[in-house]
Amino acid sequence: MRNMPAVLVVEDEPSIAELIAVNLRHNGFRTTWAIDSASAQREIDASVPDLILLDWMLPGESGLVLAKRWRAHPRTKEVPIIMLTARGDEADRVAGLDAGADDYIAKPFSTRELLARVRAVLRRKAPQTVGDALNVAGLSLDPATYRVVYQDAQLKLGPTEFKLLQYLMGSAERVHSRASLLDKVWGDHVYIEERTVDVHVKRLREALGAAGTMVETVRGAGYRLTAKPLVPVAEKSSA
Ligand code: CA
């Protein structure tokens, strides 16, 4: 049973806790239920879970206070937290995310949505497998050494641009929509807008310099990395 992720459900309403626990167990998760902050802390002291579903409004300390404390503690700072709450406005959502929550689910929620969010957060937190070195038309990327080289010159890329390039090079010539890039590169696009992709593509092109034209915009479809970049059309002289 070692592969079953352990989820700590911190929720003072038994009917909601039960609904969550039943659905998670049915889908291959182990669950523990804590009814308040004191029992949640006891559970965590006994065993650090893989993920915490944390109700905002709890008797005693609120979920927000708990999220902040767990984020600050070395033992729990890496544990993904999804806040559950009836409070759904943007200010609350931002407060929850600021406190260190990885995601936020407004009550009432469907169990399908809950499972999707839980899986997305766990996927995003999973350690990345290193992957193979890639080479496309003189552009090479080695995940083991974290190096990108084009025509013998080493290029400097930020972490997101590196991941983006790794993904594009891994399926060169294929067109990827912004939504699928968010899913594959960012892992969870609940709070990231699609234009974020455009920003990072722009940075990637800049970082790639002469190889930047290999990252093509496919109008209405998305982006792809191609070994045969379009040659920029020279300005026609109108002499
Ligand atoms: Ca509550």
Side-chain angles (χ1 to χ4, degrees), residues 11-13 55 57 107:
E11 168 64 69
D12 60 316
E13 285 169 62
D55 187 26
M57 300 297 281
K107 293 177 187 172

Side-chain angles (χ1 to χ4, degrees), residues 3-233:
N3 295 330
M4 291 171 74
V7 178
L8 173 62
V9 182
V10 188
E11 168 64 69
D12 60 316
E13 285 169 62
S15 59
I16 296 178
E18 180 68 19
L19 178 75
I20 293 171
V22 165
N23 278 282
L24 287 177
R25 275 187 214 133
H26 205 78
N27 285 278
F29 297 88
R30 287 178 290 144
T31 63
T32 315
W33 175 34
I35 197 161
D36 57 23
S37 65
S39 52
Q41 191 60 55
R42 271 199 304 278
E43 290 297 339
I44 283 179
D45 291 343
S47 164
V48 175
D50 295 301
L51 182 136
I52 302 167
L53 284 172
L54 178 58
D55 187 26
W56 183 311
M57 300 297 281
L58 290 166
E61 288 175 302
S62 74
L64 207 58
V65 171
L66 288 174
K68 277 185 188 153
R69 184 191 305 148
W70 291 335
R71 269 298 160 266
H73 198 281
R75 192 170 146 84
T76 44
K77 71 173 165 36
E78 303 290 343
V79 180
I81 297 172
I82 300 178
M83 299 282 300
L84 302 172
T85 174
R87 308 166 62 163
D89 69 51
E90 199 192 344
D92 286 334
R93 203 172 67 201
V94 169
L97 296 173
D98 276 351
D102 295 89
D103 203 352
Y104 181 103
I105 304 177
K107 293 177 187 172
F109 50 83
S110 73
T111 51
R112 272 184 63 188
E113 182 190 9
L114 175 81
L115 283 164
R117 301 281 186 106
V118 164
R119 287 186 176 126
V121 167
L122 286 173
R123 196 168 61 226
R124 190 174 62 184
K125 289 273 172 167
Q128 293 292 312
T129 47
V130 169
D132 298 328
L134 300 161
N135 197 309
V136 179
L139 179 66
S140 62
L141 176 148
D142 187 352
T145 58
Y146 210 77
R147 279 201 175 125
V148 178
V149 173
Y150 182 64
Q151 295 176 347
D152 297 328
Q154 196 177 321
L155 307 174
K156 270 188 129 91
L157 268 68
T160 303
E161 286 71 53
F162 188 92
K163 265 184 92 176
L164 180 60
L165 182 62
Q166 184 177 7
Y167 184 69
L168 290 172
M169 287 179 74
S171 50
E173 308 300 335
R174 259 194 62 190
V175 180
H176 304 279
S177 68
R178 288 166 178 83
S180 95
L181 287 172
L182 279 176
D183 191 44
K184 297 292 179 357
V185 177
W186 280 261
D188 176 5
H189 51 92
V190 177
Y191 290 109
I192 302 174
E193 294 174 33
E194 293 197 353
R195 67 164 181 256
T196 304
V197 176
D198 304 336
V199 172
H200 287 280
V201 165
K202 183 166 178 280
R203 284 190 204 156
L204 174 61
R205 283 186 180 129
E206 284 163 8
L208 290 176
T213 53
M214 290 171 73
V215 182
E216 276 187 357
T217 304
V218 181
R219 197 157 298 205
Y223 294 105
R224 79 167 147 210
L225 186 113
T226 175
K228 302 171 211 71
L230 291 172
V231 178
V233 179

